[in-house]
Amino acid sequence: DSGVTQTPKHLITATGQRVTLRCSPRSGDLSVYWYQQSLDQGLQFLIQYYNGEERAKGNILERFSAQQFPDLHSELNLSSLELGDSALYFCASSRAPSEKLFFGSGTQLSVL
Amino acid sequence: QQQVKQSPQSLIVQKGGISIINCAYENTAFDYFPWYQQFPGKGPALLIAIRPDVSEKKEGRFTISFNKSAKQFSLHIMDSQPGDSATYFCAASGMNQGAQKLVFGQGTRLTINP
């Protein structure tokens, strides 16, 4: 167990809908990262937060947004969902941006 | 230039054999090269990592070999065991203003036959 908690584990929704994925980092970790894993694109970096502030953006669509709250948990919001958004979404955390990442078990999103 | 190319896509090795997975990168700004192991239904877990100031790092049965001039690095698993059967990802990143963006290879599905 990495200590990173993601909820829900599975999410099934329809095209056009909006969903929120939640992540609780390991105790003491200030940095949170979101990654998307799909069969065709592999593991893709989406966004990084450090102590509530956005630090880096990757291949994150404009329909997606994220934030890190004062208690350090993070949420990834996906809106106007398309079939192609179906993927496994991972959250990871680290004590500082330069330190190793610990991944959660992911949220499997299925858009029907 | 942000890609990390990983090969092979899949690998079958007999128990006790050596498993070798290779990766190549292009961005010379990368300065951190980790390998992750992922089991079905789980997130990637850090196995071993190397920085470009050394050419080799060993932890137990796992060794990273790093060739800076060729921009290649590889994972060797000695005395491979059925429990090593998993998907392995190489990755690379460079620290830039407190941002760590890992670029992952496409993964190698390793099967160790008993």
Side-chain angles (χ1 to χ4, degrees), chain A residues 33 35 45-48 55-59 97 101, chain B residues 2 30 91-96 98-104:
Chain A
Y33 311 76
Y35 283 81
F45 169 75
L46 295 178
I47 197 162
Q48 175 198 353
R55 274 296 172 96
K57 259 186 175 177
N59 301 321
L101 271 60
Chain B
Q2 288 296 317
F30 288 152
S93 74
M95 281 298 294
N96 181 18
Q100 182 182 166
K101 303 184 198 181
L102 282 172
V103 179
F104 283 87

Side-chain angles (χ1 to χ4, degrees), chain B residues 47-108:
Chain B
L47 201 55
I48 186 172
I50 198 168
R51 294 200 182 268
D53 52 344
V54 295
S55 60
E56 187 174 280
K57 183 173 180 180
K58 184 176 180 179
E59 288 183 4
R61 296 184 294 109
F62 301 92
T63 299
I64 299 179
S65 297
F66 185 80
N67 186 329
K68 189 173 180 178
S69 60
K71 291 187 281 187
Q72 295 174 346
F73 58 111
S74 60
L75 176 69
H76 292 62
I77 305 175
M78 312 300 285
D79 186 26
S80 299
Q81 299 297 311
D84 297 330
S85 296
T87 300
Y88 292 80
F89 294 92
C90 62
S93 74
M95 281 298 294
N96 181 18
Q97 296 178 340
Q100 182 182 166
K101 303 184 198 181
L102 282 172
V103 179
F104 283 87
Q106 287 295 100
T108 297

Side-chain angles (χ1 to χ4, degrees), chain A residues 10-21 63-64 78-87 89 108-112:
Chain A
H10 303 277
L11 199 47
I12 301 174
T13 188
T15 54
Q17 294 299 304
R18 173 189 167 94
V19 297
T20 297
L21 282 54
R63 300 182 285 108
F64 296 0
L78 315 177
S79 61
S80 302
L81 285 167
E82 302 175 0
L83 295 177
D85 298 327
S86 296
Y89 290 84
Q108 179 68 60
L109 173 66
S110 299
V111 182
L112 305 179

